[in-house]
Amino acid sequence: MFSLFFFPHHWNLCEDRHTARLILGSCPVRKPVPFGLGVHARAGHVLPSFLPIIKQVQQNLEQMPLFDHRSYSGKKKTSPHCKIRSPASSMDGAVRSVWADNFKAESRLLHQIAPAVVHVALNVQYPGCVFVHGNGRNHRDLTAEERYELIRANVALLMPLQVGIAVRTDDGRRFAWEFNLRGFDITSRKHARDPKSVAYLAGCGVDFSRLPRAGIDGYRLRWLLRDSGLIRARPSWATFAGAYHVAYFVTMMYGEKLPHSLNAFMEMARQLIGRPLYDVKRLAREHDRSCVGALSNVVGKLAAVPPGEGISKSKPAGTGSIMALLAFETLKNKLGADMEKYRHELCGLQVV
């Protein structure tokens, strides 16, 4: 058996005879919850619905203190996407930041180039993870089905913040967009988040105060990506440590919750973006066992960034997508036909 733990603002949610123990600081409060989250750890056994526990969590979020992004003055952490920098030029300038006011203009550009796109890289930023495995087992020891249940629980509860899309056309041109999404309101007690992740993203340049008033509605981005011809072009798709990126993308593009089973999820992903889906982290490890760690480390090891370019940290989703694209193109040249055997193997899901 195993249980799930929920950690925003020092909560601890654990199974105890169908009673959840909510710990806020040092003051435990016992509340009855139809938990139903225990499961025998065997392949193919899917967790029961976790919607009742999510409803309980959302109700109790109103008791939680909020992270004040306006008063954030802590030392900014270096983003794992942003360790390679150059004073001469920055890849930040290549990322097109998209909000509601320039969405139409950027949509016209995507419509123009989408039919010629051959490679797409995806990066989604979200306010952390609140459900983690809680029985002491190493993440590597979980089955793919158990990992998927954790992903499904987190994606159901936490809203996406940004979607980064980087593309390469058949004539060698590259474009990258960072779509800032409306939905998550940092001032709302009902919107779950991991405070450390929010502070980290604020330090990386995510404008939390602007998202609710100037962000893009998710359905508009969904319609753009479908109507532009990008999906129909059937390009190769890449991501880095892609389990959560692909899960959020599938949810957004279908406009519904993730299915209960891992197999159904992977089938939805295949129907949406086709078979050529690759995880750069997986490919890099097969190319060179020392090519591990954060995306910036992999990009540096591969020497994938063009000379004179630097990696900025002010657009985390956009920069993450363009770095994944550059790494994917480099690995495709190095691995050749060998990379085909790693299609649809996502790090954090089928592999760790």
Side-chain angles (χ1 to χ4, degrees):
M1 304 288 287
F2 80 92
S3 56
L4 296 176
F5 287 74
F6 181 65
F7 282 115
H9 306 282
H10 308 292
W11 277 32
N12 184 2
L13 187 57
C14 58
E15 183 178 9
D16 178 15
R17 296 184 183 276
H18 302 286
T19 300
R21 185 172 199 145
L22 308 181
I23 302 177
L24 177 58
S26 59
C27 302
V29 180
R30 298 186 68 84
K31 292 179 178 287
V33 175
F35 200 75
L37 284 173
V39 61
H40 290 287
R42 64 177 185 268
H45 190 110
V46 181
L47 288 175
S49 173
F50 45 77
L51 293 179
I53 201 75
I54 289 177
K55 183 177 180 181
Q56 180 70 65
V57 166
Q58 289 172 330
Q59 291 173 351
N60 283 277
L61 278 170
E62 298 182 3
Q63 304 173 10
M64 300 294 100
L66 295 172
F67 169 76
D68 187 356
H69 62 98
R70 295 167 299 181
S71 63
Y72 175 73
S73 59
K75 183 178 178 181
K76 291 185 178 181
K77 298 180 180 179
T78 303
S79 167
H81 300 316
C82 319
K83 295 181 180 177
I84 306 172
R85 304 196 67 182
S86 169
S89 62
S90 171
M91 201 171 290
D92 176 61
V95 177
R96 310 172 75 91
S97 184
V98 187
W99 297 83
D101 58 1
N102 67 336
F103 180 75
K104 288 185 178 180
E106 295 300 331
S107 297
R108 286 193 293 269
L109 175 59
L110 182 56
H111 271 85
Q112 291 172 8
I113 68 170
V117 168
V118 293
H119 297 153
V120 181
L122 172 70
N123 182 284
V124 179
Q125 295 295 321
Y126 48 94
C129 294
V130 294
F131 287 105
V132 298
H133 202 274
N135 70 345
R137 290 168 62 199
N138 190 289
H139 184 69
R140 293 178 178 272
D141 298 329
L142 301 180
T143 66
E145 288 79 9
E146 289 169 341
R147 295 188 196 110
Y148 174 68
E149 282 303 321
L150 293 178
I151 293 170
R152 191 167 74 95
N154 280 303
V155 170
L157 187 60
L158 294 113
M159 297 181 183
L161 307 171
Q162 297 176 325
V163 176
I165 298 284
V167 303
R168 180 184 180 276
T169 59
D170 53 13
D171 59 359
R173 293 178 297 163
R174 295 189 186 93
F175 300 84
W177 290 267
E178 182 175 83
F179 297 95
N180 296 278
L181 302 178
R182 179 180 301 175
F184 180 80
D185 186 349
I186 200 169
T187 65
S188 173
R189 298 180 183 275
K190 295 182 179 180
H191 292 174
R193 82 291 306 269
D194 170 26
K196 291 183 179 179
S197 296
V198 169
Y200 168 78
L201 290 171
C204 285
V206 175
D207 192 342
F208 284 98
S209 63
R210 192 179 177 190
L211 287 175
R213 55 186 172 82
I216 304 160
D217 290 316
Y219 75 88
R220 297 184 70 194
L221 178 57
R222 176 169 66 248
W223 178 254
L224 169 63
L225 296 179
R226 289 191 179 276
D227 186 57
S228 65
L230 183 64
I231 303 295
R232 292 193 302 273
R234 287 306 186 194
S236 296
W237 287 74
T239 185
F240 183 86
Y244 275 93
H245 301 302
V246 175
Y248 271 107
F249 191 66
V250 167
T251 298
M252 182 188 72
M253 293 301 293
Y254 280 99
E256 59 188 53
K257 295 183 182 297
L258 294 175
H260 287 274
S261 73
L262 172 58
N263 288 339
F265 165 67
M266 295 306 300
E267 181 59 29
M268 288 178 73
R270 275 187 283 269
Q271 291 180 4
L272 175 64
I273 59 182
R275 295 197 61 184
L277 169 63
Y278 304 92
D279 196 310
V280 169
K281 185 174 183 178
R282 178 76 166 115
L283 298 179
R285 193 163 56 208
E286 293 304 317
H287 163 65
D288 183 348
R289 291 294 177 179
S290 67
C291 200
V292 295
L295 177 54
S296 58
N297 296 335
V298 171
V299 168
K301 185 78 173 178
L302 294 172
V305 178
E309 290 285 351
I311 304 297
S312 171
K313 72 173 186 174
S314 62
K315 296 184 177 78
T319 301
S321 66
I322 199 169
M323 284 206 302
L325 177 65
L326 292 171
F328 171 70
E329 292 176 344
T330 302
L331 288 163
K332 184 177 181 181
N333 292 332
K334 292 180 180 296
L335 292 172
D338 288 343
M339 66 182 288
E340 295 305 307
K341 63 178 114 175
Y342 305 115
R343 287 186 299 187
H344 279 263
E345 289 190 8
L346 298 175
C347 289
L349 195 52
Q350 294 97 336
V351 292
V352 181

